[in-house]
Amino acid sequence: MKKRILVSGGAGYIGSHVSVELIEAGYEVVVADNMSNCDTTGIEGVRKITGRTDIPLVEMDFCDAAAVERLFDDYPIDAVIHFAAFKAVGESVAEPIKYYRNNLTSFLNVLDAARNHGGCDVLFSSSATVYGEAEQLPVTERSPRLPATSPYGNTKQICEDMLRDVTASDPSIRGIALRYFNPIGAHPSALIGELPRGVPNNLIPYITQTAIGKRACLSIFGNDYPTEDGTCLRDYIDIVDLAQAHVAAVTRMLEGRMKEGYEIFNIGTGRPVSVSELVTEFERVNGLKLNYRFAERRPGDVTAIWADTALANEELGWRAKRTLAETLASAWAWEKHLAGE
Ligand code: UD1
C-alpha cells in the first residue's frame, strides 16, 4: 500500500512543488489548504504535471481543531508536511497576534491530531531565519539560534521547539525540521511557481515582475554591506531541489532511519550569491536587461547567510543539483507563462 502524506498548505508555492515530487516518488498525497494566500493554480498545476486528476484538495483552516481531527479521521495519514502558515516578515511585525495565533495554533492542532490518531511522522517547514545574523559562516545545524527579529521568525523557532518537545514526550511521533535558505525558481513545466499577491517582498518575484514590465524598477536594498560588491549574500536554493529534500526527509522518517526522534537539516546549496551577482546572472541567462537602482538597506536584513549542507548531504543522501542559471531560467519561464506568453 502506498503511504499517504498530508501536505498542509499544499496549494501554495513550496507545497505544490513538494506535492509533485511526492507523487512522482510513489506517495499518495492529500492537499489541505485554507486558500488564504493562493488560488487553485497550484493544485491544478500539480494535477496536470502528475496526470493525477484525483488528488484531493481539502479546503479547511488548520486553526480549526475539529476540522483537523476530521481530516485525520477521513484519511489514514502516515506523515504530515506542515506548510500552512503566514510568511510575510513585515506584516508579522505590524500584526504579531495574527501571526502567533495562526502559525502556532495550526501546528499545535496538527501535532494534537497526530497524537490522537496513534501518532505519525511530522515534517516542519522551518527557515534559516532562525540563525539571524550568524557569527560564523556557513551555518551548521549546531550554530546558535539567535533571538528572532520578527514575530514570523519567532513562530519558526517556537514551532521547532514544539516539535522537539512533542517528539521527546511521545515516541509515536517523530519529527524533522528543514531549515530552508532562499527557495527560488519554478517547476521546469512552468505550470507551477511562486504567485505573490500584491507587491512582492522577495527578490526573485520582484525581478521577474520588473523584467516583464509589471514593476518599473527593482530596488537593490543596500550596496554598502561589508561584502565584496556591497550587496547581501544569500544561499538561493532551487524549488525542485528543495522539494526533493522533503521526499528524502519523509522517506527517512517512514523507513525508520532517523537517528533521533527529532532531527534538523539545513536545505541550501552551500554557495553564497550576492544580490548584484543574482541580478547579473538573471540578465545573462535570460538575455535581457533589468531596470534596477541601489536603494537604502531594508531594516531587518542580515548581511550574509549561507548553509553548511554536509549533514543533509550525508544523512538524507540529498544535494542541490540545479545550476543557478537553470533556476533563474525557470523563474523567468514561469513569469512569462503567467503573462500568457
Ligand atoms: C526573507 C525573510 C525570511 C524568509 C524568506 C522567505 C526577511 C528579513 N527575511 O528572506 O525570514 O524566510 O524571505 O523566502 O524578510 N532584496 C532586494 N530588493 C528587493 C527584495 C529583496 O534587494 O526588492 C534583497 C534583500 O535585501 C536580500 C535579498 O534580496 O538581501 C533576498 O531577499 P528576500 O528574497 O526578501 O529574502 P530574505 O530577506 O533573505
Side-chain angles (χ1 to χ4, degrees):
M1 263 259 288
K2 284 186 175 182
K3 300 269 188 195
R4 185 178 280 110
I5 318 294
L6 167 62
V7 185
S8 87
Y13 173 46
I14 303 181
S16 59
H17 288 82
V18 169
S19 297
V20 167
E21 297 306 314
L22 287 170
I23 291 161
E24 289 183 349
Y27 289 108
E28 284 298 322
V29 164
V30 178
V31 170
D33 205 299
N34 69 358
M35 311 304 281
S36 68
N37 195 29
C38 64
D39 58 20
T40 55
T41 308
I43 185 75
E44 282 161 12
V46 174
R47 290 176 179 148
K48 212 171 200 173
I49 292 164
T50 59
R52 288 284 307 271
T53 50
D54 58 340
I55 298 163
L57 167 65
V58 183
E59 277 197 54
M60 55 166 287
D61 195 329
F62 279 82
C63 289
D64 178 348
V68 182
E69 293 290 338
R70 274 201 304 279
L71 183 65
F72 276 74
D73 291 340
D74 292 346
Y75 296 94
I77 304 289
D78 296 293
V80 185
I81 305 183
H82 184 66
F83 295 110
F86 294 148
K87 61 170 186 180
V89 177
E91 185 188 48
S92 82
V93 176
E95 296 188 65
I97 292 175
K98 175 177 165 181
Y99 272 68
Y100 285 114
R101 178 174 288 135
N102 184 63
N103 292 7
L104 304 185
T105 309
S106 60
F107 195 43
L108 269 182
N109 288 342
V110 165
L111 292 170
D112 207 11
R115 189 189 56 163
N116 295 336
H117 287 78
C120 78
D121 295 325
V122 178
L123 196 161
F124 176 65
S125 155
S126 191
S127 167
T129 194
V130 302
Y131 297 116
E133 183 88 65
E135 265 181 37
Q136 286 197 332
L137 290 165
V139 289
T140 76
E141 291 79 355
R142 283 166 303 284
S143 298
R145 282 188 336 186
L146 298 182
T149 52
S150 73
Y152 159 80
N154 207 16
T155 67
K156 291 295 179 196
Q157 296 202 1
I158 296 169
C159 285
E160 284 192 352
D161 293 345
M162 281 163 36
L163 187 55
R164 179 199 63 203
D165 295 346
V166 170
T167 54
S169 75
D170 184 344
S172 76
I173 298 181
R174 288 169 297 196
I176 289 182
L178 297 184
R179 291 178 177 161
Y180 314 145
F181 283 69
N182 288 59
I184 61 164
H187 192 266
S189 65
L191 290 171
I192 52 175
E194 196 170 1
L195 206 61
R197 287 201 170 157
V199 182
N201 295 309
N202 296 115
L203 180 60
I204 286 294
Y206 211 104
I207 288 178
T208 57
Q209 290 192 7
T210 304
I212 204 105
K214 265 196 226 170
R215 313 266 157 220
C217 183
L218 167 76
S219 295
I220 295 183
F221 299 138
N223 63 348
D224 57 350
Y225 282 99
T227 61
E228 220 163 280
D229 65 20
T231 64
C232 295
L233 298 173
R234 294 290 183 275
D235 183 336
Y236 295 95
I237 168 85
D238 182 275
I239 188 70
V240 177
D241 281 333
L242 179 97
Q244 287 171 355
H246 292 71
V247 176
V250 158
T251 304
R252 176 183 176 87
M253 290 199 281
L254 291 171
E255 290 181 353
R257 287 190 276 111
M258 291 176 72
K259 293 191 171 152
E260 288 165 67
Y262 171 61
E263 297 176 335
I264 301 169
F265 298 102
N266 284 343
I267 304 299
T269 66
R271 193 164 81 91
V273 173
S274 79
V275 178
S276 284
E277 277 178 273
L278 194 82
V279 167
T280 306
E281 184 68 352
F282 182 86
E283 291 180 321
R284 186 190 70 78
V285 167
N286 297 310
L288 45 79
K289 278 280 161 219
L290 203 66
N291 194 18
Y292 69 87
R293 66 184 181 97
F294 292 108
E296 290 294 295
R297 291 183 179 195
R298 181 171 69 176
D301 277 346
V302 299
T303 303
I305 180 114
W306 69 95
D308 181 321
T309 61
L311 194 67
N313 297 160
E314 280 158 29
E315 294 296 325
L316 298 179
W318 166 92
R319 64 180 58 248
K321 292 192 205 102
R322 283 174 189 75
T323 63
L324 185 60
E326 288 171 306
T327 306
L328 293 174
S330 77
W332 180 228
W334 164 244
E335 188 67 58
K336 284 192 293 184
H337 168 82
L338 285 177
E341 285 179 21

